[in-house]
Each structure stands twice: as structure tokens, then as C-alpha cells.
Amino acid sequence: MDIAAKTRRATKSGAFGAVTDRTLAGLRLFLSLSALLIILIDPAEPNRFPKITHSALVAYILYASIVYVYARRHVNFSWRVMQHVTWIDVAWYSVLITLSSGTNAVFFFFYLFAIIEGSSRGGTRLGLALTAVCTGLFLALNLLVFDD
């Protein structure tokens, strides 16, 4: 039995500590709203493209809200939808990191959420793939954008 099937079975049986897509959607929305609050409190962040970064973050909050509303009707997404949401998160986080100041930005830690999200719902293989892709994206974007 694969990891996804085990997770679905554990969630249906009400297993203690089972991570559901509904929980992850709530955490995603909370994380995005927290980031907005942080950059509103700390005017030094983001320091590269503040208006574009704020707009991108508001767009991400809207995306997170849509995922949250969808997740309220479904405890867990299908395997395909879960993977799409996870990889879309990685794309959003890459954009936010690129618009801000790299590792110094609050958005850098969003990659960790995507890795935990993928690992908790998709298993070790997906978690390792996300780790490798996030690392590669971060390095490539830093070389392209931050090369002074």
C-alpha cells in the first residue's frame, strides 16, 4: 500500500495526528496572512520591489483563501490536486523570494512549509523531490536575479 492510500485510510479512521489537506489549507492561509502582517509591521521588508511584492502577496492570500474554501468541503484532496497545490505553492514562494531579498526575507521559510506539506501528504519521495527543486530554484534564481 502506498503512502497516499495509508494517509487516506488513517484520515478516514480519525487517526490521531493525521495531517489533512483541510489542516494544511488553514495553515497556508494563516502563513500568508502572517507574512502580510510582518511586512506591514517591518517597513524595511521587503526592500527590493515593495509594491510588486505586496501585490504578489495579496494575490497569494487570495489563492490561499480559494484553496481554504475548497478544503472546507473536502477533508483531503485527490492525489493529483494535492500535488498541483503543492507545486503551485513552490512557484508562488519562488516568486515572492525573488521579489524580496532572498534568504533575508520572511518568504524564504515558505519553502519549508511546501516541503513539510508535501512530505506529510505525499511521503518521503515527494518531500525529497520538493527539497531538491526548492534548493535548485533558489540557487538558480539567486544566480540570475541577485548576481551583482
Side-chain angles (χ1 to χ4, degrees):
M1 184 179 311
D2 66 349
I3 297 294
K6 287 180 185 177
T7 304
R8 282 192 296 272
R9 189 182 68 195
T11 303
K12 287 180 183 176
S13 68
F16 178 74
V19 177
T20 65
D21 287 319
R22 185 179 293 165
T23 303
L24 291 169
L27 289 171
R28 179 184 295 104
L29 184 58
F30 178 76
L31 182 67
S32 63
L33 292 170
S34 298
L36 180 63
L37 182 63
I38 289 168
I39 66 173
L40 290 175
I41 291 172
D42 183 9
E45 187 66 35
N47 59 0
R48 291 193 50 210
F49 305 108
K51 289 182 181 181
I52 298 172
T53 305
H54 284 93
S55 299
L57 183 56
V58 169
Y60 179 68
I61 290 170
L62 290 174
Y63 160 75
S65 299
I66 291 167
V67 172
Y68 180 75
V69 168
Y70 181 78
R72 295 299 302 158
R73 295 188 203 120
H74 304 85
V75 174
N76 282 320
F77 303 149
S78 68
W79 176 251
R80 182 180 213 152
V81 171
M82 186 274 300
Q83 284 190 316
H84 281 91
V85 168
T86 303
W87 289 108
I88 290 169
D89 281 343
V90 170
W92 271 111
Y93 303 153
S94 297
V95 167
L96 289 168
I97 290 167
T98 303
L99 290 173
S100 60
S101 55
T103 57
N104 295 333
V106 67
F107 308 119
F108 179 71
F109 299 100
F110 281 23
Y111 273 153
L112 182 60
F113 175 77
I115 293 167
I116 291 170
E117 168 190 13
S119 298
S120 64
R121 293 285 294 125
T124 305
R125 184 173 291 163
L126 181 58
L128 289 173
L130 285 162
T131 302
V133 169
C134 289
T135 302
L137 277 171
F138 179 74
L139 291 173
L141 291 171
N142 268 321
L143 290 174
L144 291 172
V145 175
F146 297 113
D147 189 30
D148 291 9

